[in-house]
Amino acid sequence: MAFLTQLFFHPLGWYHGHQLLVGQMGVDGLLALSIWLTLYSGQLTLANAGFMAIGAYTSVILTGGTTTTGPALAGAHLPLPVAMAVGALLAGAVALIIGLPVLRLKGVFLAIATIGFGEALRFGVILNLGITGKGQGLNNPHATVTSGITPIWLSLALLAFLGWRLTGAKTGRAWAAIREDELAAAAQGINVARYKMVAFVLGAMVAAYAGALGAHLSFLIDSNDYSFTQAIDMLVWAVVGGIAFVIGPIVGAVVLTILPEVLRFTQNYRDVVNGLILIAIILFRPDGLITPGKGTIRRWWRRLAGWRQPARQPAPP
């Protein structure tokens, strides 16, 4: 309870004491946004942990990250924004290549195939190449928490705004039509394969960008940070938050990232309580915490407005 007390009554002190947590919440929000792009278009893909790893390792290598035996890439000291852009573009290129055969699948088969990509990348590439430190990870001497929080949250705000604008554009409407009924969308002249590919590539680039930002919050990056568990976490964030609105997955990511800290007073039972809360959310809010399609935000606003405004008196006869 001390965590919540400090958060509400001493927010500035709480911020200074939990800067890494604040930064991680922003990174997790970006990761949830990356999987929202594919879920919104009706695709259950779990490859974003792999794309996150591409962005993280590429950015650290290109900014001068080192292995235990020396420089990972001699002479590579690119500015961080350039390195992050390279990582995002590389992830987009990889997504385009693997998306050509994989996106022909649907449902659970697509999920299994994309899980396979992430695990193959981790075990077949990252753990076997000297440039990635093999199983020992990479040292990141340029990591910083204080200066990294602002870019993370500004990026999250900007990408959330762009995602919101995209849902009202032609591409967003096409994604919604594909999600509801792929055959009907194709019958209306929508190029289903192209729009699904666009969502897949954009999601990969956002995940890689988030991975690059997250990697520079830590002095050591490890392949275990990009495992199957991370992919499942992203999916849970999006489902708990709700995919009907772009803010939903971000809210889900922030809530579930901060929840273990809030439940720290439960000590050894923290994971049990965390799981029970997740079950309760799925049972009582199956569409997610944020469901504007059913008027949730509007209903909350009306309740607040009704509480703040005095009741109207009936007109005299």
Side-chain angles (χ1 to χ4, degrees):
M1 299 302 292
F3 180 88
L4 291 177
T5 302
Q6 186 181 22
L7 173 61
F8 288 111
F9 294 101
H10 304 283
L12 188 59
W14 178 89
Y15 171 80
H16 287 300
H18 298 85
Q19 290 187 5
L20 182 59
L21 177 62
V22 173
Q24 191 61 52
M25 286 192 294
V27 171
D28 290 347
L30 286 168
L31 292 172
L33 188 60
S34 74
I35 201 169
W36 170 81
L37 286 165
T38 50
L39 290 174
Y40 194 81
S41 62
Q43 304 177 80
L44 180 58
T45 63
L46 296 174
N48 285 19
F51 297 130
M52 178 188 178
I54 292 176
Y57 276 91
T58 300
S59 65
V60 172
I61 290 171
L62 294 181
T63 53
T66 62
T67 64
T68 56
T69 58
L73 186 61
H77 295 282
L78 295 179
L80 180 57
V82 176
M84 290 192 298
V86 172
L89 291 174
L90 179 59
V94 173
L96 183 63
I97 294 172
I98 70 168
L100 291 174
V102 167
L103 294 185
R104 298 175 184 270
L105 304 173
K106 298 179 182 179
V108 67
F109 301 104
L110 176 60
I112 293 173
T114 49
I115 289 172
F117 159 74
E119 293 301 282
L121 177 69
R122 190 162 70 97
F123 287 104
V125 178
I126 295 176
L127 294 181
N128 287 287
L129 293 182
I131 196 174
T132 59
K134 295 187 177 181
Q136 299 177 354
L138 281 180
N139 297 317
N140 183 15
H142 305 292
T144 175
V145 176
T146 305
S147 62
I149 294 177
T150 300
I152 289 172
W153 281 93
L154 286 178
S155 299
L156 180 59
L158 177 60
L159 290 176
F161 173 76
L162 293 176
W164 170 68
R165 295 290 295 175
L166 193 61
T167 56
K170 178 182 177 181
T171 300
R173 293 194 297 269
W175 287 343
I178 295 170
R179 184 181 72 250
E180 294 299 326
D181 193 325
E182 190 171 314
L183 292 178
Q188 294 176 3
I190 296 175
N191 191 328
V192 173
R194 184 180 66 184
Y195 281 106
K196 288 170 68 173
M197 179 64 77
V198 169
F200 189 61
V201 171
L202 288 178
M205 295 179 69
V206 173
Y209 180 66
L213 287 171
H216 287 271
L217 291 176
S218 174
F219 289 98
L220 175 68
I221 62 171
D222 191 342
S223 62
N224 292 326
D225 297 331
Y226 314 105
S227 64
F228 170 68
T229 303
Q230 181 66 60
I232 295 300
D233 286 343
M234 296 183 204
L235 180 62
V236 171
W237 297 334
V239 171
V240 168
I243 65 170
F245 192 46
V246 66
I247 297 298
I250 298 174
V251 171
V254 170
V255 169
L256 294 182
T257 300
I258 202 173
L259 188 60
E261 295 298 325
V262 175
L263 298 176
R264 186 178 292 274
F265 68 94
T266 59
Q267 298 180 357
N268 296 333
Y269 300 98
R270 181 171 54 178
D271 291 338
V272 175
V273 176
N274 193 1
L276 292 175
I277 291 174
L278 287 178
I279 293 173
I281 292 174
I282 296 300
L283 288 177
F284 297 105
R285 299 290 300 179
D287 293 328
L289 296 174
I290 306 297
T291 54
K294 294 187 177 182
T296 302
I297 295 177
R298 188 182 300 111
R299 183 168 62 252
W300 289 352
W301 173 254
R302 286 176 178 173
R303 288 179 180 176
L304 178 62
W307 173 74
R308 295 179 62 182
Q309 296 176 2
R312 293 184 178 181
Q313 298 296 329

